[in-house]
Amino acid sequence: MADEKLVNMIRNTFSLYGLVISRKLSVSLAKEFLNIEENEREIWLTQIAEQVLSQDLNDTHVTIENLQLAIQEYIKPNTLKNAETVLNVIDVFDVPRIKYDLSKKKFVLESITPDLYAEAQYKSTIFKDRFELLWYRTLRHELFIPPMLGERKENWIELIPIEYLLSESKEGNVYVMGLLSQLVEGQYYLEDTGGSIKDGLIMECSIVIANGDFHDGVLYVKNLGFPPAESSNNARVDFGNANAFGGQSEFSLKLSEKLKTYEESNKDGMIVFVSEMWLDDKTVLRKFKTMLEGYSEYPPIAFVLCGHFLSFPAKSSSGQKLVEGLKNLADIIMQYPDIKRDSKFIFVPAINDIGSPKILPRLPLPNNLTEDFRNNIPGAIFATNPCRIQYCTKEIVVLRGDILTKMCRNTLHFPFQGNIYDHYAKSIICQSHLTPLSLPMLPIYWKYNHSLQIYPTPDLIVTADRFEAYETVYSNCHVINPGSFSKNDHSFKVYVPALNLIEHCAIPKDIDV
């Protein structure tokens, strides 16, 4: 029989935390406490009540499930919950849409009903959604927050909506934000959701902030720049502990202390990124075998292999060649049991790989072609392009597409100073979008524009491009290109999550096996 004094102490302690526990549960808990030294019971009880309070409770009444979870958390604080995945590869067709809610005055998450071939109305909202995300993101930047009543604020910039600029016949020096578009051939306009004004330069379909003199419906631009980037921490304030990145967990795993502890304990853990992994090329497979040999004693967390997976354009024989290439790759992996057991193999198809239209986001390689490989290699994951990877608290976005090349080709004003990949990193992060291009330059599924957004900014963006290998950092986000494994001296990139470190590697020519 439970001690009545102990039962009352339990009920009173929970009451102090604003919680209501039934007598039946109090008696059950008191019986468990009889096995604990009397001088330690109060400490246990306080910790369990705090654990219950930290749970997402619907009301103040404590359930048996709440108690069981609280006791488990207290006894084994480093045990991961089911949704706290160490490694999770996220299908971008399942990521939530981020939208600004005017009534709540903050960004919110929305689920999307799957539909690849959506109605035409979704095409018209692509650039509207991009603009609104950047508009409301910019308005809360320190430079653009208006002064409070009675406050004097220097260096404040007032962004004027184009609709207001036109309707009020305002003239003189102004700052406006809009989408650069060529409404008339050879004449560029700056558009927002309410109107458009003529502009003079730079990159079509980028959203920019223009400063200049406005006269007679024409903006004579003095300065043109991107909306300022927003730090990842600031962007996450609106979402609280909600998961904006995607995946199984309802809560943001970036905030998980247990995953952070796990991540920091695995200081040697690494993720290898390889691009242009030609599975029909004997030299590529031989070099990859050399790579596995080097990692055989310390298997990486994952190998992220990006397409193209064949050395020739898609044709009638592509399916059979891909199956043969995957079989040869599986035979190589099975020679290294530790790697086969411990490492994941994540395949990200290029836009020209077999099995899907040349539209982003791209579906994974077809199941019927990859079935044998998945049966032989338990760590195989065939992902979308782009895909998202969550490793502990790190958020990674992988895109296989020649986006830098396309942006250079279509830029109205090419920057001649600095590294081009630094400009590229700034462009996609300030635009909060992986492919800030027009639809003719790069088709996307209208309803899945949000899956190409990178907001909040992740920890690492991998843009596997035909461009030479590079790495740079902008707004605390690493942006890397592993380079072409098949063409650029069999180079690849390695990411060490615990240290947030990037390493450039290559297979030397003189150690072929």
Side-chain angles (χ1 to χ4, degrees):
M1 183 70 181
D3 187 343
E4 191 66 28
K5 183 179 177 181
L6 184 54
V7 171
N8 290 333
M9 183 176 75
I10 291 171
R11 300 192 74 176
N12 290 336
T13 301
F14 275 84
S15 180
L16 286 173
Y17 284 89
L19 300 170
V20 178
I21 184 169
S22 68
R23 176 170 176 78
K24 183 179 179 181
L25 282 181
S26 299
V27 171
S28 298
L29 190 56
K31 289 179 180 178
E32 296 295 329
F33 275 19
L34 292 176
N35 300 320
I36 300 172
E37 294 292 334
E38 190 170 349
N39 60 341
E40 295 181 2
R41 290 174 185 173
E42 188 174 349
I43 298 173
W44 271 73
L45 183 55
T46 301
Q47 291 293 330
I48 289 171
E50 289 180 352
Q51 288 287 351
V52 170
L53 195 64
S54 69
Q55 298 172 24
D56 189 20
L57 302 176
N58 294 323
D59 55 45
T60 58
H61 289 80
V62 179
T63 66
I64 188 170
E65 290 80 12
N66 296 142
L67 274 183
Q68 289 172 342
L69 181 59
I71 293 170
Q72 183 183 9
E73 288 284 314
Y74 183 57
I75 296 174
K76 298 180 179 180
N78 293 323
T79 302
L80 296 177
K81 300 175 185 175
N82 290 335
E84 287 182 304
T85 49
V86 173
L87 180 70
N88 187 19
V89 180
I90 300 162
D91 185 325
V92 291
F93 289 100
D94 296 331
V95 302
R97 179 181 177 226
I98 295 173
K99 183 180 180 181
Y100 191 83
D101 189 313
L102 277 173
S103 61
K104 296 179 180 178
K105 294 187 177 179
K106 67 174 188 176
F107 288 103
V108 297
L109 302 177
E110 287 185 344
S111 7
I112 295 295
T113 306
D115 187 3
L116 277 185
Y117 301 103
E119 296 177 359
Q121 68 188 62
Y122 289 97
K123 181 180 181 182
S124 64
T125 63
I126 289 176
F127 292 101
K128 178 178 179 289
D129 289 346
R130 289 190 197 177
F131 174 81
E132 288 183 348
L133 187 150
L134 296 182
W135 173 264
Y136 291 111
R137 191 194 77 186
T138 301
L139 286 182
R140 64 188 192 182
H141 188 276
E142 180 62 27
L143 278 175
F144 299 91
I145 298 176
M148 303 289 287
L149 186 63
E151 178 188 6
R152 293 189 63 185
K153 188 175 182 181
E154 297 181 2
N155 301 323
W156 169 52
I157 297 175
E158 181 183 11
L159 268 186
I160 299 175
I162 293 174
E163 183 178 23
Y164 171 78
L165 195 66
L166 295 173
S167 63
E168 296 292 323
S169 299
K170 184 176 176 65
E171 295 195 346
N173 186 57
V174 295
Y175 285 85
V176 294
M177 180 173 167
L179 176 84
L180 276 175
S181 57
Q182 193 174 180
L183 300 182
V184 178
E185 187 174 356
Q187 296 183 12
Y188 288 90
Y189 289 75
L190 197 63
E191 293 185 277
D192 67 6
T193 55
S196 65
I197 55 176
K198 199 180 292 187
D199 193 351
L201 66 160
I202 292 193
M203 173 135 175
E204 188 174 357
C205 281
S206 286
I207 295 169
V208 295
I209 295 176
N211 166 234
D213 292 320
F214 181 66
H215 298 289
D216 302 323
V218 179
L219 178 64
Y220 298 89
V221 176
K222 296 177 183 176
N223 300 294
L224 195 67
F226 290 122
E230 183 176 47
S231 73
S232 178
N233 289 337
N234 285 351
R236 293 175 197 279
V237 170
D238 282 0
F239 308 114
N241 64 351
N243 182 4
F245 190 66
Q248 303 170 10
S249 175
E250 183 180 348
F251 306 105
S252 173
L253 297 182
K254 196 161 187 64
L255 306 176
S256 171
E257 290 296 328
K258 295 175 186 176
L259 285 175
K260 184 178 181 182
T261 301
Y262 184 94
E263 178 184 313
E264 290 173 348
S265 68
N266 188 19
K267 293 190 183 299
D268 295 326
M270 62 189 77
I271 301 175
V272 178
F273 295 94
V274 179
S275 184
E276 291 289 280
M277 182 68 186
W278 290 350
L279 299 178
D280 62 326
D281 189 305
K282 292 182 180 178
T283 302
V284 168
L285 290 176
R286 188 172 70 250
K287 291 288 186 177
F288 190 72
K289 184 177 186 298
T290 302
M291 182 196 298
L292 295 188
E293 181 71 33
Y295 287 122
S296 58
E297 294 184 9
Y298 303 98
I301 298 161
F303 293 88
V304 181
L305 309 179
C306 300
H308 299 91
F309 294 113
L310 296 175
S311 59
F312 56 88
K315 56 184 181 181
S316 57
S317 62
S318 296
Q320 184 58 36
K321 286 290 184 182
L322 181 61
V323 170
E324 292 173 2
L326 286 171
K327 181 183 182 304
N328 293 334
L329 179 62
D331 290 341
I332 292 172
I333 295 170
M334 286 189 286
Q335 296 176 37
Y336 303 95
D338 289 348
I339 290 179
K340 176 188 173 184
R341 182 188 66 240
D342 297 336
S343 298
K344 301 294 184 184
F345 289 86
I346 303 168
F347 292 79
V348 181
I351 202 164
N352 290 322
D353 273 317
I354 188 172
S356 190
K358 298 179 182 180
I359 306 172
L360 288 179
R362 190 200 186 283
L363 294 167
L365 291 173
N367 286 336
N368 63 316
L369 301 181
T370 62
E371 183 178 3
D372 289 343
F373 187 89
R374 284 183 279 114
N375 290 337
N376 291 321
I377 309 298
I381 300 172
F382 289 86
T384 57
N385 178 23
C387 74
R388 298 184 178 191
I389 301 172
Q390 165 258 319
Y391 173 74
C392 291
T393 65
K394 293 295 190 293
E395 295 178 345
I396 303 166
V397 175
V398 182
L399 171 69
R400 173 60 187 100
D402 300 323
I403 308 303
L404 175 54
T405 306
K406 288 180 182 290
M407 289 179 68
C408 289
R409 189 181 302 133
N410 292 283
T411 296
L412 305 179
H413 175 74
F414 194 87
F416 293 100
Q417 294 183 342
N419 294 315
I420 190 62
Y421 47 81
D422 289 336
H423 293 292
Y424 169 67
K426 179 179 180 180
S427 297
I428 61 173
I429 291 173
C430 287
Q431 297 287 298
S432 287
H433 203 281
L434 288 170
T435 61
L437 298 162
S438 67
L439 295 181
M441 296 177 197
L442 186 68
I444 66 174
Y445 287 108
W446 302 337
K447 201 172 182 179
Y448 291 95
N449 171 62
H450 69 280
S451 68
L452 299 169
Q453 289 176 341
I454 39 176
Y455 182 80
T457 308
D459 299 285
L460 171 66
I461 300 173
V462 182
T463 57
D465 200 290
R466 291 180 183 176
F467 202 79
E468 63 185 24
Y470 62 79
E471 60 186 81
T472 186
V473 179
Y474 189 80
S475 190
N476 295 322
C477 174
H478 288 277
V479 180
I480 67 171
N481 175 28
S484 174
F485 187 75
S486 56
K487 296 179 181 178
N488 296 338
D489 297 325
H490 302 95
S491 66
F492 56 98
K493 294 285 186 185
V494 174
Y495 177 55
V496 185
L499 306 177
N500 202 26
L501 176 70
I502 303 294
E503 297 177 347
H504 180 73
C505 305
I507 307 296
K509 295 180 179 180
D510 57 348
I511 63 167
D512 283 348
V513 294

